[in-house]
Amino acid sequence: MTLYLANADARCVFLATQGLSRPRGALSKAGLLELIEAIGFVQVDSIATVERAHHHILFARNPSYRREHLTALLESDGALFEHWTHDAAIIPTAFFPYWKHRFARARETLATRWRSWHENGFETYVDHVLERVRHEGPLMARDFEAEKRPPGGWWNWHPEKTALEYHWRTGALAIAGREGFQKRYDLTERVIPAPHRVPEVTGEAFIDWACTSALERLGFATSGEIAAFWDLVTPAEAKAWVETNRDRLEPVLIEGVDGKPRASHAFAGSAALFASLPSPPARLRVLSPFDPLLRDRARAERLFGFSYRIEVFVPAEKRVYGYYVFPLLEGDRMVGRIDMKADRKAGTLDVRRLWLEPGVRASARRLDALDAELTRHARFAGVERIVYAEGWRGE
């Protein structure tokens, strides 16, 4: 028998599996690690319009989140590490053995591609930077003085920076910390604790873990969504995993916001689990543009009826909303988006424009809830007051 999830129930399941239905109690360092393990990873991004994405994502789940706990887990405790999922991310170090397979796949693709950018002596740069890190300890790209930076490399990187990134992507180097937002690279054996470096995982076990852990964090998914979650396995590998594990799975129809059902997969017996999950709090929350709830734009649009795109790389004259616009979540609904920026010199959170979704009213209660949420964000960003621009509600 096929399980059927009404749209409201499907939204609640996904919000719960992504950590957005948790209580607001004090978040300890151990609790922070457990939260990141539960949601899988936290995307890292350099843009700090209000606060950088990784901090914002965690703050949205618990306003008592403390940045120093994340730094300690990354740089002192060795409980988290930085690498790639679909993008740069903070990942539990317990998952490191599975990333060895990503390193191996990267070695197959990056060496050829990056060598073509620095055809003359690429291997020399690769060997040179690794030896310097080995003998000098953690180094940043700026520690390598390049007399000439040839154009056409990855983001116009100089050869040493390209070599550092190559070693990071392929596993010889790891991120020991950051200064500002600049990476400090060190040997992986000096960053990742030995218990997480030693285990070897077979290719079959790697695919099983990647697909199993993705479906646990999605609640329900198509094989394509399973593959996309970590971006560790191919769609074909995820599809084959589904076929091989039919006895562990059950079919489920997920009602979209348009009323149309979509065939997906869930673990067998999920009905009882789904019924036990908490409902999301009714409060209004500002999400990061990189929040994992919205990472799969097509899935978010089907479940929430919310079409969202980051317009950072869209020319200003072609933007529909703005450079860096924040989604608004209220209960289990996406209710709008807001354009705002922290001006730390002036000590203000400048609110430029609010857009509410069709059918969502700018009631006094909702505007009060928004003001309370923005007040929390102002404190989190280290500014004293909110400044609403004239016409910010789009009058």
Side-chain angles (χ1 to χ4, degrees):
M1 182 177 178
T2 299
L3 178 63
Y4 184 90
L5 273 185
N7 180 246
D9 294 331
R11 292 199 306 268
C12 287
V13 167
F14 191 36
L15 286 161
T17 59
Q18 283 302 295
L20 285 160
S21 299
R22 293 183 165 220
R24 297 176 66 178
L27 185 66
S28 65
K29 187 173 70 168
L32 174 61
L33 177 59
E34 187 275 328
L35 170 61
I36 296 173
E37 288 176 340
I39 62 179
F41 61 89
V42 179
Q43 185 169 339
V44 175
D45 191 79
S46 62
I47 299 173
T49 301
V50 174
E51 182 51 274
R52 289 198 168 105
H54 44 294
H55 296 310
H56 190 163
I57 289 166
L58 295 167
F59 179 76
R61 284 152 178 77
N62 193 311
S64 69
Y65 159 69
R66 295 169 60 183
R67 298 171 185 82
E68 59 267 30
H69 284 163
L70 185 67
T71 300
L73 290 167
L74 274 165
E75 299 184 16
S76 304
D77 301 351
L80 299 171
F81 74 106
E82 284 193 46
H83 213 269
W84 282 74
T85 54
H86 62 287
D87 213 320
I90 294 167
I91 306 160
T93 310
F95 302 164
F96 183 82
Y98 303 102
W99 256 254
K100 293 181 182 180
H101 289 265
R102 187 182 191 99
F103 302 154
R105 294 183 181 194
R107 282 192 288 272
E108 295 175 4
T109 58
L110 292 182
T112 300
R113 189 172 79 189
W114 289 9
R115 186 180 293 112
S116 70
W117 291 331
H118 302 298
E119 292 180 355
N120 298 321
F122 179 77
E123 289 83 359
T124 301
Y125 289 116
V126 167
D127 294 340
H128 169 63
V129 301
L130 191 59
E131 283 306 302
R132 277 199 60 185
V133 172
R134 189 184 310 279
H135 290 100
E136 298 178 39
L139 294 174
M140 295 185 290
R142 71 188 185 201
D143 294 317
F144 294 85
E145 296 295 334
E147 294 181 3
K148 183 179 180 182
R149 296 189 176 189
W154 180 254
W155 294 87
N156 289 321
W157 286 340
H158 59 76
E160 294 90 347
K161 168 64 173 177
T162 306
L164 285 168
E165 286 289 306
Y166 171 76
H167 283 306
W168 176 48
R169 303 282 184 94
T170 57
L173 297 180
I175 306 304
R178 289 180 181 261
E179 292 184 19
F181 204 69
Q182 299 299 309
K183 302 186 191 85
R184 288 190 290 113
Y185 303 83
D186 200 358
L187 297 180
T188 294
E189 57 262 34
R190 295 200 292 240
V191 176
I192 305 297
H196 299 303
R197 286 187 280 109
V198 174
E200 296 297 331
V201 178
T202 66
E204 183 179 352
F206 159 68
I207 292 173
D208 182 62
W209 177 86
C211 295
T212 298
S213 59
L215 186 54
E216 287 171 346
R217 288 161 177 81
L218 290 167
F220 52 83
T222 65
S223 60
E225 289 169 343
I226 290 170
F229 182 81
W230 297 111
D231 194 26
L232 287 172
V233 299
T234 66
E237 287 170 331
K239 187 174 182 179
W241 177 83
V242 168
E243 292 300 322
T244 303
N245 289 273
R246 289 288 181 185
D247 58 331
R248 295 171 56 196
L249 307 175
E250 65 177 326
V252 54
L253 289 175
I254 306 300
E255 182 186 34
V257 72
D258 60 0
K260 297 178 181 178
R262 181 180 176 85
S264 293
H265 311 284
F267 287 110
S270 287
L273 171 64
F274 293 164
S276 70
L277 292 173
S279 297
R283 70 179 188 274
L284 190 148
R285 283 178 279 183
V286 177
L287 300 184
S288 165
F290 295 101
D291 195 284
L293 187 76
L294 303 172
R295 187 201 63 78
D296 187 332
R297 308 298 189 205
R299 179 180 171 102
E301 193 161 351
R302 286 194 304 272
L303 289 177
F304 298 97
F306 188 67
S307 178
Y308 183 77
R309 301 292 183 273
I310 297 174
E311 298 183 291
V312 168
F313 300 111
V314 177
E317 66 277 8
K318 295 184 178 180
R319 290 175 189 147
V320 177
Y321 296 103
Y323 172 78
Y324 199 77
V325 172
F326 298 84
L328 298 177
L329 172 69
E330 184 182 68
D332 68 346
R333 294 195 303 158
M334 302 304 304
V335 295
R337 60 202 86 200
I338 190 166
D339 186 0
M340 61 182 185
K341 180 179 176 64
D343 184 339
R344 290 176 175 83
K345 288 184 178 180
T348 59
L349 181 65
D350 299 332
V351 178
R352 299 162 174 167
R353 179 69 192 274
L354 170 71
W355 296 267
L356 293 176
E357 289 292 279
V360 177
R361 292 177 54 246
S363 64
R365 180 199 60 79
R366 183 166 282 123
L367 293 177
D368 286 345
L370 177 61
D371 187 73
E373 173 72 350
L374 296 182
T375 299
R376 287 188 286 271
H377 273 269
R379 287 197 299 266
F380 186 59
V383 298
E384 291 77 40
R385 59 195 177 91
I386 305 168
V387 174
Y388 292 97
E390 184 176 354
W392 70 279
R393 286 171 50 188
E395 296 94 334

